[in-house]
Each structure stands twice: as C-alpha cells, then as structure tokens.
C-alpha cells in the first residue's frame, strides 16, 4: 500500500515513526485479520531476508500515530477477531513510536484493539530495559523470531550474535507477555533435528510461550535482490521440504520438555 501525505505530521501529539509500508489485510502476522505496519530499518542481515529494502534506517516514510489509527479505523469491521501488528524491518529500533501507537489502539473510543509485536529482539538493550518499558506495557503478544539456536550458526546466518535476542526473550518471560516463537527452517542450515532440539532447550524456560511456528524457507525474495543489485547469499539453497516440518516441530517440543524437566 502506498503512503499518501500525512495530514497530521505538523500537529501530531505523538512521536513519529518511519515505516516501509502497511498491509490492511494481514493473515499471517498474529491471530485473526490484522492491520500490519512494517517499520523501516534493521540491524540484522539475515541471509534469507525477503525484504532487504527495509534495512536502511534512513529510507521509508515518516508517519504519525494518528495516521495509522485512521487507517485502522477505516476498516475496523474487518478486524473484529484480529488487531494491529507492527513488523519490520526491526520494530524495536523505534520503541517510543510503537509505545504511542499501541497505547492509542488500547484506548480507542470504539473499543480496545489487540496489539502484536513481530520482532527478532536484537535491538533490545538489556543494559537499558527502561527504554522499552512503555512499549512492553502496551504489547499483548510478541511474535519472536529465533533465527538459529547455535551462537556461531546465528552469527553466520544473520551477521549478529544472539545474546540480545535471548535477553529480550528473558524480559518477555519476566513480564509474562504471551509469545509465539517463529523459526525459519532452511535446508542445510536450520533443518536438523539437533538444531531444533537445541532451540527447544533455549526457549523451554520461557513459560510465557503460547505457540510455535516453524516456517519453511522459500525463495520468493530472490527477485527483489536482483532488482536492488544485491547478491543473494542462499542462491543455491532449494525451498524447504514442508513434509519435514512436523518432525522438526516434534524435535523442538522435545527440547522444551527436557529443559523444563
């Protein structure tokens, strides 16, 4: 969806955010049909990222909370069993804006709206958790992407370590915020039983985990890399065989059970 000029930019009572795009009928970003805002900017460089155009923090469009609320309210009847989701890019780069947006959705005169944060968690700063306090108080659900269960494997796959991600998971568990774990299963990288069992052991202590989604790797983003003149690091990797997903899901659940004793 293309952005139109935001009439509220000059008078907004809230902070402004920088977005890549919005989707008005999202069906895979949380429960029900959802209004999804994709933030601009991401510190990760995942080899399979299908939105490399969201990486640059200086791209995108400045948008106000009021603008997003207006867009949601214009289609509110479609979101009766859904709500709003903020994805990315990496939303945690803009915690103040997200806190304002989620608070506004919770305080809507026509009724409270369910809020969901789709994040890899890397932008969380465990040395300054107070910066994220307002946002997390207004977050009903988190879709937490765990890219790899092995520290070195995570760094090779994303270009970053996973300590901040685990710290974010610990913070969500401490607060009791509901979490759905997401894990992209990539042939030859994250598709072994051992890797998935280790993932289960990592997330097992988090008693707030209410769901688990293993997402089969696909190649639909390759064309975008070609358009942007970027090299695609997994050019020789085939799509994931979806028939293996149940087996690997069982491996994750085994790991969780062992971690919990």
């Amino acid at each position: 969806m293309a952005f139109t000029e935001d009439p509220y930019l000059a008078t907004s009572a809230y902070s402004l955010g920088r977005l890549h795009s919005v989707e008005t009928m999202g069906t895979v970003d949380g429960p029900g049909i959802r209004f999804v805002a994709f933030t601009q900017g991401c510190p990760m460089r995942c080899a399979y990222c299908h939105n490399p155009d969201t990486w640059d923090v200086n791209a995108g469009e400045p948008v106000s909370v009021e603008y997003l609320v207006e867009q949601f309210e214009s289609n509110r009847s479609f979101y009766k069993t859904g709500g709003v989701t903020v994805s990315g890019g990496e939303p945690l780069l803009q915690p103040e804006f997200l806190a304002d947006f989620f608070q506004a959705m919770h305080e809507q005169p026509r009724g409270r709206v369910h809020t969901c944060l789709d994040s890899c968690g890397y932008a969380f700063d465990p040395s300054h958790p107070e910066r994220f306090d307002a946002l997390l108080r207004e977050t009903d659900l988190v879709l937490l992407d765990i890219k790899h269960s092995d520290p070195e494997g995570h760094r090779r796959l994303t270009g970053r370590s996973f300590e901040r991600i685990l710290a974010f998971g610990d913070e969500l568990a401490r607060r009791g915020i509901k979490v759905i774990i997401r894990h992209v299963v990539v042939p030859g990288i994250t598709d072994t039983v051992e890797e998935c069992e280790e993932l289960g052991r990592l997330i097992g202590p988090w008693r707030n985990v209410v769901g688990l989604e293993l997402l089969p790797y696909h190649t639909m983003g390759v064309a975008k890399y070609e358009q942007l003149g970027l090299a695609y690091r997994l050019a020789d990797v085939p799509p994931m065989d979806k028939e293996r997903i149940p087996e690997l899901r069982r491996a994750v659940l085994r790991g969780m059970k062992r971690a919990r004793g």
Side-chain angles (χ1 to χ4, degrees), residues 8-103:
Y8 302 104
L9 284 179
T11 59
S12 176
Y14 299 96
S15 59
L16 297 180
R18 186 165 287 273
L19 298 190
H20 172 269
S21 58
V22 298
E23 182 180 354
T24 56
M25 294 292 164
T27 58
V28 296
D29 301 286
I33 298 175
R34 308 188 72 82
F35 177 87
V36 187
F38 296 90
T39 60
Q40 184 69 38
C42 186
M44 302 268 272
R45 292 296 180 265
C46 300
Y48 52 70
C49 177
H50 58 278
N51 287 316
D53 47 340
T54 66
W55 291 346
D56 184 359
V57 295
N58 296 311
E61 298 287 342
V63 175
S64 70
V65 168
E66 291 94 337
Y67 175 84
L68 294 180
V69 171
E70 182 182 75
Q71 295 298 303
F72 174 88
E73 290 294 344
S74 67
N75 292 296
R76 177 184 266 265
S77 60
F78 292 103
Y79 306 127
K80 290 180 180 178
T81 61
V84 298
T85 296
V86 179
S87 186
E90 176 43 56
L92 288 182
L93 290 175
Q94 305 180 55
E96 295 84 4
F97 172 70
L98 267 61
D100 284 347
F101 178 42
F102 281 3
Q103 180 181 3

Side-chain angles (χ1 to χ4, degrees), residues 180-249:
I180 294 176
I181 298 295
R182 286 181 158 180
H183 185 59
V184 178
V185 184
V186 185
I189 300 177
T190 58
D191 68 332
T192 67
V193 168
E194 292 76 15
E195 195 273 337
C196 288
E197 286 187 348
E198 182 58 26
L199 172 64
R201 284 189 283 270
L202 282 179
I203 66 177
W206 300 338
R207 299 285 178 159
N208 56 324
V209 172
V210 298
L212 171 66
E213 298 180 0
L214 297 190
L215 309 176
Y217 165 76
H218 60 72
T219 59
M220 290 186 288
V222 175
K224 188 174 288 187
Y225 281 76
E226 295 173 351
Q227 294 169 3
L228 296 173
L230 298 173
Y232 187 66
R233 290 162 53 196
L234 301 183
D236 297 326
V237 177
M240 182 64 196
D241 179 4
K242 295 180 180 179
E243 293 186 1
R244 291 199 58 218
I245 296 300
E247 171 199 9
L248 298 177
R249 179 184 174 82

